[in-house]
Amino acid sequence: MIQTIGLLIAVVWILMEVIYHYQGEIVIAPIKGLMVGALYNADSDEEETEHIIQILFLVFSFNFIWFTEN
């Protein structure tokens, strides 16, 4: 269990550094209930693509959002 928490903290820290490099946004939000998992989504239009990585761990949601030009 402690190794899993340590791994999660390491992944979140690495993602925070990447988001800082790309001048993105980090949103940490509470969840009503318990969830564990991850999600990646990319929405693109003619000019740019919005990337979202969402990591859900128990009662917190960590959302990493950044944009790239097409």
Side-chain angles (χ1 to χ4, degrees):
M1 179 71 177
I2 293 175
Q3 291 176 344
T4 304
I5 293 172
L7 178 63
L8 179 66
I9 290 171
V11 168
V12 169
W13 179 74
I14 290 168
L15 286 172
M16 291 175 97
E17 291 295 323
V18 170
I19 296 303
Y20 176 76
H21 175 73
Y22 286 105
Q23 299 176 348
E25 180 179 324
I26 301 169
V27 178
I28 300 173
I31 302 172
K32 292 182 180 179
L34 298 175
M35 293 183 80
V36 175
L39 167 75
Y40 171 75
N41 186 38
D43 292 326
S44 58
D45 58 17
E46 292 129 17
E47 296 178 9
E48 62 185 12
T49 302
E50 177 186 30
H51 303 272
I52 300 172
I53 295 177
Q54 184 178 44
I55 298 175
L56 303 154
F57 186 70
L58 298 179
V59 295
F60 292 105
S61 170
F62 300 92
N63 302 296
F64 303 92
I65 305 165
W66 72 99
F67 294 89
T68 57
E69 293 182 14
N70 293 340

